[in-house]
Amino acid sequence: MKLIAVGLLGISLTACAGGQDGERRELFGGFFSSNQEASLETLTPEQIYRRAEAELETGDIDEAVRLFGEVERLYPYSEFAKRALIMSAFAYHADRDYENSRASAQRFLDFYPADEDAAYAQYLLAISFYDQIDQVGRDQGLTFQALQSLRTVIERYPDSEYAKSSILKFDLAFDHLAGKEMEIGRYYLKRGHYTAAINRFRVVVEEFQTTTHTPEALHRLVEAYLSLGLTDEAQTAGAILGFNYQSSPFYQDSFNLLKGRDLEPEARGTGWLRDIYRQVVRGDWL
């Protein structure tokens, strides 16, 4: 039996050296299942790396990640150790193990900050936050981290193939953040907590002006201020809405609300909305 095992090992290594992937997979499947750790130490870093790739292709991500880790452990200074690290980040992300994906991507950036794959590592780190945005409910910590990481890709690697995708995802994450503020603002508005609602809509108008939620935020401000009897603020919100988003259905709703109280959408008073009107409509930023 010992002679048979030695013979199989010799055949397996010959198959690896010859680069015949199908035969290598078939031979590995039998022998290495019983004596895996010892056999890995007899292989070159490329052979272990290729085997990890094969496991990844078949969908065995746990085994692929383990083998990529073995490349790093056994041959830490090899070119394949560097490749294995970035592939571990990719494999973890494919398995939706975002925390480990980020950890591997960050290790790659720490060890190889000037490498040609650094842009991809930063992108993987960013989308590991981005892909969790819809899972976090009202906790927007991951959304802020996604925005920060995506901005790093855009600013540090503007000519990379990942910059364009990062810009798109940044805009969507930014819009998502505004959407969460709107969601909470509507919640307060429906329950008559007008001051709390106004604070949320104000954040959208002041900090998320470029998002798709701004027209509705201005309309909800008209509703909330009218409910509190603050007509100057309501009229000013309607004026901003009419100037920038006159084609929006929210403007017609606000116009009808104001008209119903014999009011016009016009800038009045000296509050924060008057400052927004001065900046946005008149262009006076100082």
Side-chain angles (χ1 to χ4, degrees):
M1 291 298 293
K2 289 182 179 179
L3 290 175
I4 292 172
V6 172
L8 285 172
L9 177 57
I11 294 171
S12 300
L13 295 180
T14 301
C16 290
Q20 300 175 7
D21 291 343
E23 294 179 11
R24 181 177 71 240
R25 293 274 306 143
E26 183 178 353
L27 291 169
F28 281 165
F31 177 73
F32 285 115
S33 61
S34 61
N35 197 19
Q36 212 164 41
E37 296 305 326
S39 62
L40 287 177
E41 295 180 0
T42 68
L43 300 180
T44 67
E46 181 176 4
Q47 288 171 333
I48 304 174
Y49 180 86
R50 298 303 178 198
R51 185 176 170 209
E53 281 189 320
E55 296 292 351
L56 192 59
E57 289 175 4
T58 62
D60 192 346
I61 293 178
D62 289 341
E63 180 63 8
V65 167
R66 190 188 75 82
L67 290 170
F68 285 133
E70 287 298 298
V71 177
E72 287 190 80
R73 183 180 70 84
L74 295 171
Y75 304 98
Y77 304 109
S78 67
E79 177 67 21
F80 283 96
K82 181 174 68 174
R83 290 195 208 176
L85 183 53
I86 193 67
M87 286 301 295
S88 292
F90 167 78
Y92 278 128
H93 188 270
D95 201 33
R96 298 184 180 181
D97 186 347
Y98 299 119
E99 185 174 349
N100 278 318
S101 178
R102 285 193 291 271
S104 296
Q106 188 59 61
R107 282 177 56 218
F108 187 93
L109 291 168
D110 292 341
F111 294 157
Y112 313 105
D115 190 81
E116 62 181 359
D117 285 328
Y120 181 56
Q122 182 64 51
Y123 181 70
L124 277 175
L125 194 153
I127 62 174
S128 72
F129 289 120
Y130 178 83
D131 287 348
Q132 287 185 278
I133 286 177
D134 289 335
Q135 304 174 14
V136 297
R138 293 177 180 171
D139 179 8
Q140 294 303 295
L142 286 175
T143 307
F144 280 111
Q145 289 175 299
L147 287 168
Q148 184 177 18
S149 298
L150 289 166
R151 176 174 288 173
T152 300
V153 177
I154 297 165
E155 294 179 349
R156 190 174 296 173
Y157 309 102
D159 299 323
S160 72
E161 60 186 297
Y162 310 108
K164 184 176 181 180
S165 176
S166 295
I167 291 172
L168 175 62
K169 286 181 170 56
F170 185 94
D171 290 341
L172 292 173
F174 199 63
D175 200 82
H176 179 91
L177 210 55
K180 284 298 179 181
E181 294 292 333
M182 290 298 302
E183 180 182 335
I184 299 170
R186 290 189 212 100
Y187 175 86
Y188 287 135
L189 186 63
K190 287 179 180 179
R191 285 155 181 78
H193 304 308
Y194 300 117
T195 301
I198 287 169
N199 289 336
R200 294 294 181 168
F201 300 138
R202 178 175 180 172
V203 169
V204 176
V205 172
E206 289 188 323
E207 299 182 19
F208 301 99
Q209 289 183 12
T210 59
T211 70
T212 60
H213 299 282
T214 304
E216 183 184 357
L218 288 164
H219 171 61
R220 301 304 175 193
L221 284 168
V222 172
E223 291 183 323
Y225 280 127
L226 285 178
S227 297
L228 291 173
L230 301 174
T231 57
D232 285 353
E233 288 80 358
Q235 288 176 269
T236 305
I240 299 170
L241 181 57
F243 183 84
N244 286 313
Y245 310 100
Q246 194 163 11
S247 62
S248 167
F250 289 112
Y251 172 68
Q252 189 60 52
D253 292 341
S254 289
F255 183 82
N256 292 337
L257 281 175
L258 292 168
K259 277 296 185 181
R261 301 199 182 190
D262 295 325
L263 300 171
E264 294 287 340
E266 58 181 341
R268 297 179 61 86
T270 59
W272 69 272
L273 276 169
R274 185 60 184 265
D275 292 335
I276 295 293
Y277 180 89
R278 178 174 53 82
Q279 294 167 359
V280 174
V281 177
R282 294 173 51 188
D284 298 335
W285 289 89
L286 297 178

